[in-house]
């Protein structure tokens, strides 16, 4: 119902505008650089999809799905796929064409989807930090606090938070007046690049965007930082084996948070303007971080690697048995 409502709002606002499309300037004007970027980011997107789908299927088809940490990890992988797919396929396709255009409605949809799935991912990362805090600081009460019902409620709250964050962003975007240039100096539609080409005074609008995106991102990062400081402080009382395992898990989470939040804070926690570096930093939270998440979460996680082996050996055996019976 929410998505259907957003769709109707976007289509109605499109009919009221005197602009039907925007021109995306992309990463570079150099055709050779664009060709290299096409190959590079096509490989990155393929690795991102394969890695996150591997995690998603392996967790869903194994007993790990019953454990809160892996339950949240499966949702994080799903959000990685949804979040980056809002931008990356079109971005890769645009690298092969000279004139990169996007319709008004698709541009608004991109703004909505990026902030919707992006905020859900931010909140799931926060939930995962809370899960690690309970597991390490209150281990005897872990299964009571993080039971399946509460885990489902937390994930539902993350989706609700994504909706609450994305609709104001979409409202800001569709209410912007466009009467002049329609060239967006970026490779996807976002609030700040749209503010740059909007007519009239956008100072107040920029402050609203800063409050809705920048402050939220910074506060979430500070909360995550404090939670992991508390966790690391508590680890002093753990055994060496418990400390090693906890540090391995927390280290993965901290790496993901730095890769995602660092560029996001730079992009949104500042006055409403654009810089040439924005495109490079945007690559980190739209493609690079989601691509590395599967490696970060599985490289030092024996449970995850064992689950992958079991699931994919089972799939291989099933295919082999079907092949034998067909013959």
């Amino acid at each position: 119902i929410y998505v259907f409502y957003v769709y109707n709002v976007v289509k109605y606002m499109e009919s009221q505008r005197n602009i039907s499309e925007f021109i995306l300037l992309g990463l570079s004007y150099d055709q050779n650089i664009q060709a290299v970027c096409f190959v590079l980011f096509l490989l990155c997107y393929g690795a991102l999809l394969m890695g996150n789908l591997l995690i998603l299927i392996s967790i869903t088809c194994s007993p790990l799905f019953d454990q809160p940490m892996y339950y949240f990890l499966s949702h994080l992988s799903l959000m990685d796929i949804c979040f980056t797919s809002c931008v990356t396929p079109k971005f890769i396709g645009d690298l092969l064409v000279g004139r990169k255009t996007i319709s008004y409605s698709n541009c608004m949809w991109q703004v909505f989807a990026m902030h919707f799935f992006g905020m859900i991912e931010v909140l799931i990362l926060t939930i995962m930090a809370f899960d690690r805090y309970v597991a390490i600081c209150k281990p005897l009460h872990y299964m009571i606090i993080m039971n399946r019902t509460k885990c489902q409620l937390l994930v539902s709250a993350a989706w609700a938070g994504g909706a609450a964050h994305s609709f104001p962003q979409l409202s800001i975007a569709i209410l912007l007046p466009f009467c002049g240039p329609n060239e967006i100096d970026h490779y996807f539609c976002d609030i700040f690049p749209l503010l740059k080409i909007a007519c009239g005074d956008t100072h107040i609008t920029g402050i609203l965007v800063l409050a809705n995106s920048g402050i939220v991102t910074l506060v979430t990062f500070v909360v995550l930082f404090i939670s992991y400081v508390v966790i690391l402080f508590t680890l002093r009382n753990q055994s060496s084996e418990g400390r090693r395992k906890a540090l391995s898990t927390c280290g993965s989470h901290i790496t993901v948070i730095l890769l995602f939040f660092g560029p996001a804070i730079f992009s949104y926690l500042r006055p409403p303007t654009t810089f040439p570096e924005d495109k490079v930093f945007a690559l980190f939270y739209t493609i690079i971080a989601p691509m590395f998440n599967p490696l970060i979460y599985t490289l030092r996680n024996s449970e995850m690697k064992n689950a992958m082996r079991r699931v994919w050996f089972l799939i291989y055996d099933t295919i082999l048995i079907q092949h034998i019976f067909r013959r």
Side-chain angles (χ1 to χ4, degrees):
I1 294 173
Y2 175 66
V3 174
F4 181 70
Y5 173 72
V6 170
Y7 173 79
N8 286 332
V9 170
V10 171
K11 297 304 290 184
Y12 172 76
M13 293 306 297
E14 182 182 27
S15 66
Q16 303 299 309
R17 297 296 176 186
N18 59 357
I19 186 171
S20 59
E21 69 176 17
F22 297 99
I23 299 172
L24 299 170
L25 299 184
L27 283 179
S28 172
Y29 295 105
D30 191 307
Q31 292 296 323
N32 293 325
I33 293 177
Q34 291 193 59
V36 172
C37 287
F38 171 79
V39 175
L40 174 63
F41 291 116
L42 183 62
L43 293 174
C44 288
Y45 186 58
L48 184 154
L49 290 179
M50 289 179 61
N52 282 289
L53 282 172
L54 183 62
I55 286 181
L56 187 60
I57 295 172
S58 297
I59 292 176
T60 306
C61 299
S62 73
L64 291 181
F65 191 68
D66 296 326
Q67 298 183 33
M69 183 178 77
Y70 296 103
Y71 175 74
F72 296 135
L73 179 57
S74 67
H75 283 278
L76 180 66
S77 294
L78 177 61
M79 287 305 104
D80 277 340
I81 294 170
C82 294
F83 177 65
T84 196
S85 295
C86 300
V87 171
T88 307
K90 175 163 178 53
F91 164 57
I92 294 172
D94 283 346
L95 290 170
L96 297 177
V97 300
R99 190 171 184 268
K100 307 166 180 56
T101 62
I102 184 170
S103 67
Y104 178 88
S105 60
N106 286 341
C107 182
M108 296 301 111
W109 266 109
Q110 210 169 62
V111 172
F112 165 75
M114 282 286 292
H115 287 274
F116 179 61
F117 292 117
M119 180 51 67
I120 294 174
E121 182 158 355
V122 166
L123 294 174
I124 287 178
L125 285 170
T126 308
I127 292 169
M128 292 175 75
F130 174 70
D131 172 71
R132 290 301 85 203
Y133 166 78
V134 175
I136 294 169
C137 300
K138 299 180 181 297
L140 298 179
H141 301 91
Y142 178 69
M143 294 311 299
I144 298 174
I145 296 174
M146 301 301 295
N147 60 56
R148 180 42 61 96
T149 301
K150 290 180 181 176
C151 290
Q152 291 172 344
L153 286 174
L154 287 171
V155 171
S156 299
W159 281 80
H165 167 76
S166 59
F167 191 74
Q169 296 284 57
L170 175 65
S171 301
I172 290 171
I174 62 179
L175 291 176
L176 290 174
F178 300 105
C179 54
N182 66 337
E183 292 185 342
I184 298 175
D185 189 16
H186 216 303
Y187 62 88
F188 66 91
C189 286
D190 203 0
I191 297 293
F192 283 164
L194 287 172
L195 284 175
K196 187 176 180 180
I197 63 172
C199 304
D201 185 11
T202 59
H203 179 69
I204 301 300
T205 307
I207 294 174
L208 293 174
V209 174
L210 177 65
N212 191 27
S213 292
I215 301 299
V216 168
T217 305
L218 179 64
V219 169
T220 307
F221 178 76
V222 170
V223 169
L224 289 170
F225 178 78
I226 293 173
S227 67
Y228 279 110
V229 169
V230 173
I231 289 171
L232 294 175
F233 183 79
T234 307
L235 285 177
R236 297 186 310 165
N237 302 321
Q238 299 279 344
S239 64
S240 58
E241 177 63 23
R243 189 160 50 240
R244 184 196 61 78
K245 186 175 180 180
L247 283 173
S248 176
T249 304
C250 291
S252 301
H253 292 189
I254 292 170
T255 305
V256 170
I257 288 166
L258 291 176
L259 278 174
F260 186 87
F261 278 90
I265 289 173
F266 174 84
S267 298
Y268 293 105
L269 191 66
R270 64 166 199 239
T273 185
T274 57
F275 297 106
E277 296 82 7
D278 286 349
K279 301 175 188 179
V280 176
F281 277 98
L283 289 172
F284 275 90
Y285 62 81
T286 56
I287 301 176
I288 305 300
M291 180 185 69
F292 279 110
N293 281 359
L295 284 175
I296 291 169
Y297 279 110
T298 60
L299 200 59
R300 299 174 63 186
N301 190 321
S302 58
E303 289 183 322
M304 194 69 240
K305 287 188 283 190
N306 290 335
M308 287 181 177
R309 290 193 193 97
R310 285 195 297 268
V311 169
W312 293 103
F313 277 139
L314 178 62
I315 292 174
Y316 175 78
D317 290 343
T318 303
I319 294 173
L320 184 62
I321 290 171
Q322 289 178 348
H323 179 71
I324 291 172
F325 276 111
R326 285 175 185 170
R327 295 183 61 184

